[in-house]
Amino acid sequence: MRADAVVLGAGIVGVSVAIHLARRGRSVTLIDRGEVGGETSFGNAGLIQREGVAPYAFPRALGQLARYGRNRALDMRFSWRALPALSAPLAQYWWHSRPSSYARVVHDYARFIAHSLTEHAALIDEAQAGALVSRDGFINVFRTTRAFETEQVAAAEYRALGVEHRVLDAAQLAQMEPALAPVFVGGIHRTQPWTVHDPFALTQAYLRLFKSLGGRFQRGDGMTLREDGEDWEVQTETGPLQARDVVIAMGPWSDDLLRRLGRRLPFFVKRGYHAHYRPGEGPAQVHAIHDEAGYVVAPMAAGLRLTTGAQFMRRDAAPAPVQVAACEAMARPAFPLGEQIAGSIWMGSRPCTPDMKPIIGPAHRRGLWAATGHAHHGLTLGPATGRLLAEMMTGETPFVDPAPYRMDRFR
Ligand SMILES: Cc1cc2nc3c(=O)[nH]c(=O)nc-3n(C[C@H](O)[C@H](O)[C@H](O)COP(=O)(O)OP(=O)(O)OC[C@H]3O[C@@H](n4cnc5c(N)ncnc54)[C@H](O)[C@@H]3O)c2cc1C
């Protein structure tokens, strides 16, 4: 069997790349070893973060470092045993987070994430998936005046980057979200982002769109990829498949394949968890809400989904959902959480790079491409990534400057 292009990995990123290639007349086979959208793209908080122009930086202030060093913060935990292996990429992450470097990251990132809504909009319309999406933003809520004021200053600065918001005092917050207990000093309504009630269903809807464009999906193992003369070959459940172009979009597993092909990247993961809760009594929570303490509670098809922040551990180490219990204890007095739905705890790994930007573009071998490393914003940037990579692969003029995302920025 042959295709013009094979896309390895069918998360939100791989499916979006596949759609954009198929749209440009390429014969495309999308390959996954499991269910389409069944891994990291399954369990996220569902936020399409148009406001997310400033990716999460490594803490640099001494006070912050001391707080995280105690390893009791809700938004970030680590395992001591994982630190030796993580020390090199984390040192680079720290270095790229210094103010002068971080300002450049934000400059580039803001230009890309500005397209997150419009690129999703096109696919949502074509996939007739509008019912999965709410278009009225999400809310950051604050427990301390200091954090509330600091975030208002940052939000005002980011207006220059096209990010809109509305400051809510405690009374306005209560009016907008009567389900919340009065424990917050105020909120910031991020008015532009969209929220997805079932991220898995959205990726599946995009898969149907891909198939309607003539694309094929097959089960297969990306780790079997090898060079075959001018072509690449990968094993699928129906036999070997050849293609001139191959895209590695295997999310947190992309690094395994690149390393096997001789390319080492300073890649690491931030693990995260979710759990679902039945809605409690009283008014229903309307918006997805991010608590300053370091978690999100979002109304989803399956119940109220609580998602946790970062956990620095080996990707394949056994789940250690300590942050779920800690976040639940913090959230329960404030949010309308009923009982936890049995068996609903899920773990995923955000694929991360030290300079906080994804890798989109040619890899180190002819015909080999990458679309990975989207960290906290893979759902947000999936369709924009798909378009950017497809434009590069087909020789079109890219709609944003691809230079900041090149793989060869890492030596
Ligand atoms: C708790 C949490 C909350 C988050 N919240 C948000 C949010 O609100 N908004 C946002 O934008 N982002 C969010 N993210 C990040 C986002 O979910 C990820 O960035 C995104 O899902 C990555 O998509 P992907 O397609 O690169 O990876 P994945 O979805 O993991 O897809 C990779 C695919 O590759 C396949 N694969 C792996 N190995 C092989 C192999 N050998 N052969 C074949 N296939 C293989 C896997 O089966 C998988 O389907 C969150 C992440 C977490 C963990």
Side-chain angles (χ1 to χ4, degrees):
M1 272 187 311
R2 261 201 81 76
D4 293 334
V6 163
V7 179
L8 301 175
I12 187 69
V13 174
V15 175
S16 300
V17 171
I19 289 172
H20 277 281
L21 286 170
R23 235 191 211 161
R24 286 164 177 77
R26 297 289 164 107
S27 72
V28 185
T29 302
L30 176 65
I31 290 185
D32 203 289
R33 63 181 175 188
E35 197 166 8
V36 174
E39 292 285 356
T40 329
S41 301
F42 173 88
N44 55 56
L47 308 176
I48 302 179
Q49 291 196 258
R50 167 62 186 93
E51 92 303 342
V53 293
Y56 285 100
F58 195 92
R60 290 184 63 93
L62 279 181
Q64 270 181 319
L65 286 168
R67 186 169 78 84
Y68 288 122
R70 285 193 288 275
N71 211 11
R72 299 187 60 80
L74 291 191
D75 57 339
M76 201 273 272
R77 295 271 174 110
F78 57 89
S79 131
W80 289 104
R81 283 171 62 188
L83 286 188
L86 280 170
S87 58
L90 290 190
Q92 289 190 43
Y93 185 14
W94 176 80
W95 178 245
H96 286 289
S97 300
R98 69 195 192 282
S100 58
S101 170
Y102 186 66
R104 283 196 299 277
V105 172
V106 172
H107 173 272
D108 294 334
Y109 207 68
R111 275 157 186 72
F112 193 28
I113 217 164
H115 298 276
S116 53
L117 296 178
T118 42
E119 292 306 316
H120 263 290
L123 302 197
I124 288 168
D125 281 355
E126 275 185 79
Q128 300 180 352
L132 295 171
V133 181
S134 290
R135 301 175 195 231
D136 55 356
F138 76 92
I139 307 175
N140 290 105
V141 291
F142 298 90
R143 292 170 183 267
T144 59
T145 308
R146 192 164 163 217
F148 188 27
E149 287 175 356
T150 305
E151 201 51 41
Q152 286 178 55
V153 173
E157 274 173 23
Y158 292 140
R159 272 196 204 283
L161 299 173
V163 176
E164 293 162 17
H165 70 280
R166 209 159 62 90
V167 176
L168 307 169
D169 62 23
Q172 289 165 321
L173 177 62
Q175 204 173 21
M176 213 172 147
E177 280 293 349
L180 293 181
V183 299
F184 300 108
V185 295
I188 297 183
H189 180 198
R190 313 288 179 174
T191 51
Q192 293 159 308
W194 295 352
T195 55
V196 181
H197 309 308
D198 186 343
F200 172 66
L202 186 69
T203 309
Q204 289 275 329
Y206 287 0
L207 172 72
R208 288 193 290 279
L209 170 61
F210 167 63
K211 287 182 173 169
S212 76
L213 296 167
R216 284 158 45 93
F217 171 71
Q218 284 209 299
R219 287 271 156 83
D221 182 0
M223 292 302 286
T224 61
L225 184 72
R226 63 177 193 90
E227 267 175 311
D228 178 28
E230 293 281 282
D231 281 342
W232 292 94
E233 183 180 271
V234 64
Q235 300 301 319
T236 74
E237 61 183 359
T238 58
L241 173 66
Q242 279 91 25
R244 179 59 77 92
D245 287 308
V246 174
V247 179
I248 300 176
M250 286 159 42
W253 297 275
S254 304
D255 185 43
D256 296 357
L257 179 53
L258 283 162
R259 233 180 310 131
R260 232 210 61 223
L261 296 171
R263 183 68 167 98
R264 273 194 169 270
L265 291 170
F267 207 77
F268 60 98
V269 299
K270 292 182 189 174
R271 307 201 318 178
Y273 299 81
H274 81 218
H276 288 146
Y277 299 82
R278 295 189 207 292
E281 284 170 14
Q285 181 179 324
V286 181
H287 297 82
I289 297 179
H290 175 273
D291 182 346
E292 171 204 337
Y295 59 88
V296 172
V297 177
M300 293 246 172
L304 283 170
R305 177 178 288 184
L306 183 155
T307 49
T308 67
Q311 184 181 54
F312 291 93
M313 274 180 84
R314 280 188 301 111
R315 183 194 63 199
D316 299 332
V322 284
Q323 279 152 297
V324 173
C327 292
E328 180 185 327
M330 185 66 132
R332 203 163 266 296
F335 290 83
L337 299 184
E339 63 177 310
Q340 190 182 97
I341 297 175
S344 69
I345 293 187
W346 167 92
M347 185 190 86
S349 295
R350 303 171 180 92
C352 299
T353 65
D355 66 1
M356 296 155 272
K357 295 180 292 188
I359 297 170
I360 306 165
H364 59 302
R365 303 261 184 96
R366 177 199 47 77
L368 192 63
W369 306 82
T372 188
H374 290 77
H376 295 261
H377 289 146
L379 171 64
T380 301
L381 287 171
T385 298
R387 177 171 167 192
L388 180 60
L389 188 65
E391 287 174 347
M392 282 192 263
M393 290 175 68
T394 56
E396 288 175 39
T397 306
F399 77 114
V400 291
D401 178 8
Y405 310 106
R406 292 182 63 90
M407 183 184 283
D408 62 11
R409 69 188 192 269
F410 298 114
R411 295 287 148 215

